[in-house]
């Protein structure tokens, strides 16, 4: 979905001294939705809650905006967290990522757990530590093993795609009602402390190894803008339960790129994900769990079959066995203080999903 040849995404911005307000990004301009008389709010939540008919109306009204009067150059504005996050869940939907993690963490067992191909595995994360792109991330400390505590020595990123709920539900969301509830898509970096994670995660899953920070992109691309990116979903074997079978699955052809200090280290493709976002939303609610505006669920690390399509350092360096060499001659097994990780993505037709970036700061002393 483009407007005068320019793709659209939404965010919250401010200019010097001004309050945060909604903006629509058209190329290198940010339209002030409040000044243009289209929608007045300080987060995306009220717009997201208003539902698909209003989402379409807002989009249509953008065609008539006087850009001279009501927009700013994108490089001159400050971006804020685009929405108040209600709940946050993170899935584990790449068969390549899940298999590689299994091979690394359980070298003598089967790469995938028995349930993995039967349901979209996920965990509930921490909504309160979700930060907008550009926010520094402090190296976390935690339990690293028996009797061992300190700053993580295995700080990692996970390149992911997030889906933001607009319209609440009071019960299960049928899989084909996905687009009635989900407002749009943003990039996610699920920062991870692998030593903490490995020690704590049995038997109940990730806790301190993930909860210290999760970064999201400043721009949310509305779902209706991604029609062109829809592709056939990968075949699933065994055939999943009826509640996970869609008439037209939401597999998306997004090309991700991950950079450390500006250097490209991975190019995963979102189309390779085994479980799709509509299956994840149906699963998230099938037990009757209600949805709230601002609920965020992320895909899980996006990894493809090739070594240069792995979406985290755990896989890229095989837990440190195969260090990466950066152009300045230094090597990385995991992230060092001062490193900047940037995940960006594009969809067919040149639609940009923007980027999510963050720089590592030293641990609390
Ligand atoms: Ca994750």
């Amino acid at each position: 979905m483009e407007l005068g040849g320019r793709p659209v995404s939404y965010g919250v911005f401010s200019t010097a001294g001004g309050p945060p307000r909604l903006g629509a990004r058209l190329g290198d301009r940010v339209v002030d939705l409040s000044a243009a008389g289209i929608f007045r709010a300080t987060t995306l939540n009220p717009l997201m809650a208003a539902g698909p008919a209003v989402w379409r109306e807002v989009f249509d009204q953008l065609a008539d905006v006087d850009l001279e009067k009501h927009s700013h150059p994108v490089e001159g504005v400050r971006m804020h967290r685009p929405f108040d996050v209600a709940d946050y869940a993170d899935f584990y939907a790449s068969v390549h990522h899940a298999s590689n993690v299994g091979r690394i963490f359980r070298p003598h067992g089967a790469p995938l757990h028995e349930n993995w191909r039967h349901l979209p595995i996920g965990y509930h994360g921490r909504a309160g530590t979700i930060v907008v792109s550009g926010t520094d991330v402090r190296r976390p400390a935690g339990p690293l093993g028996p009797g061992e505590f300190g700053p993580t020595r295995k700080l990692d990123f996970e390149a992911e795609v997030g889906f933001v709920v607009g319209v609440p539900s009071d019960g299960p969301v049928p899989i084909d009602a996905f687009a009635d509830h989900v407002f749009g898509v943003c990039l996610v970096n699920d920062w991870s402390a692998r030593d903490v994670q490995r020690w704590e995660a049995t038997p109940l899953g990730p806790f301190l190894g993930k909860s210290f920070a999760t970064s999201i992109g400043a721009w949310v691309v509305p779902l209706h803008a991604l029609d062109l990116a829809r592709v056939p979903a990968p075949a699933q074997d065994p055939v999943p339960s009826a509640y996970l079978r869609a008439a037209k699955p939401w597999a998306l052809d997004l090309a991700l790129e991950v950079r450390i200090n500006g250097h490209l280290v991975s190019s995963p493709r979102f189309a390779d994900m085994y479980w799709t976002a509509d299956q994840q939303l149906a699963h998230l609610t099938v037990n009757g769990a209600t949805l709230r505006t601002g609920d965020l669920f992320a895909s899980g690390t996006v990894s493809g079959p090739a070594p240069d399509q792995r979406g985290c350092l755990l896989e890229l360096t095989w837990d440190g066995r195969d260090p990466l060499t950066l152009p300045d001659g230094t090597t990385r097994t995991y992230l060092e203080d001062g490193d900047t990780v940037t995940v960006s993505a594009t969809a067919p037709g040149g639609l940009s999903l923007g980027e999510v970036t963050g720089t590592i700061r030293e641990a609390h002393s």
Side-chain angles (χ1 to χ4, degrees), residues 10-36:
Y10 297 102
V12 173
F13 76 100
S14 60
T15 50
R21 50 204 194 272
L22 293 200
R25 183 166 178 174
L26 302 176
D28 58 359
R29 307 291 296 182
V30 182
V31 176
D32 185 332
L33 292 183
S34 172

Side-chain angles (χ1 to χ4, degrees), residues 59-362:
F59 177 78
D60 289 343
Q61 287 180 58
L62 284 168
D64 300 323
V65 167
D66 180 342
L67 282 180
E68 282 298 307
K69 260 171 93 174
H70 298 309
S71 76
H72 305 268
V74 69
E75 66 267 23
V77 304
R78 177 176 166 220
M79 298 307 298
H80 301 262
R81 193 172 65 171
F83 56 96
D84 289 334
V85 184
D87 286 299
Y88 167 48
D90 191 22
F91 286 91
Y92 196 49
S94 160
V95 69
H96 308 290
H97 173 70
S99 300
N100 285 335
V101 172
R103 289 183 189 109
I104 293 166
F105 280 3
R106 300 181 306 276
H108 305 298
L112 292 178
H113 286 289
E114 184 195 358
N115 55 8
W116 196 89
R117 288 180 187 273
H118 292 267
L119 55 97
I121 301 291
Y123 70 95
H124 281 98
R126 190 165 183 84
T129 52
I130 291 180
V131 297
V132 70
S133 177
T135 307
D136 288 349
V137 171
R138 196 174 280 280
R139 178 179 298 274
L144 307 172
E148 209 184 343
F149 180 95
T152 177
R153 292 187 286 263
K154 294 189 173 183
L155 185 53
D156 202 354
F157 58 83
E158 291 188 336
E160 304 196 14
V161 176
F163 293 80
V164 190
V165 170
V167 176
S169 78
D170 57 9
V173 174
I175 188 160
D176 291 320
F178 177 75
D180 298 335
H181 292 271
V182 170
F183 173 73
V185 173
C186 66
L187 291 173
V188 174
N189 182 347
D190 177 27
W191 304 99
S192 300
R194 299 301 185 191
D195 35 14
V196 177
Q197 181 186 353
R198 188 168 186 158
W199 173 228
E200 73 178 0
T202 306
L204 285 184
F207 198 60
L208 300 182
K210 303 274 194 179
S211 63
F212 55 95
T214 307
S215 299
I216 61 171
W219 296 101
V220 179
V221 174
L223 210 57
H224 64 75
L226 290 167
D227 272 345
L228 273 178
R230 293 183 73 173
V231 288
Q236 294 183 320
D237 182 17
V239 173
S241 302
Y243 77 91
L244 295 170
R245 285 182 228 144
K248 190 186 174 199
W250 273 87
L252 292 171
D253 180 16
L254 309 177
L256 275 63
E257 293 189 329
V258 186
R259 288 178 171 77
I260 300 177
N261 302 335
H263 175 63
L264 182 69
V265 296
S266 181
S267 305
R269 303 194 67 87
F270 194 60
D272 285 332
M273 300 300 268
Y274 186 89
W275 294 102
T276 53
D278 50 346
Q279 292 181 314
Q280 292 170 338
L281 187 70
H283 185 68
L284 192 63
T285 59
V286 73
N287 63 350
T290 54
L291 290 177
R292 292 187 291 172
T293 301
D295 280 353
L296 171 69
F297 61 100
S299 59
T301 306
V302 184
S303 291
D308 65 354
Q309 296 176 320
R310 294 170 176 168
C312 63
L313 283 172
L314 173 69
E315 291 172 86
L316 284 166
T317 72
W318 214 256
D319 196 26
R321 188 194 68 188
D322 308 321
L324 288 179
T325 302
L326 299 183
D328 65 2
T330 61
T331 60
R332 291 294 181 283
T333 54
Y334 283 98
L335 296 171
E336 297 187 358
D337 293 349
D339 281 348
T340 299
V341 178
T342 304
V343 181
S344 57
T346 52
L351 172 63
S352 171
L353 275 77
E355 63 175 32
V356 57
T357 188
T359 299
I360 306 304
R361 294 296 169 223
E362 71 286 358

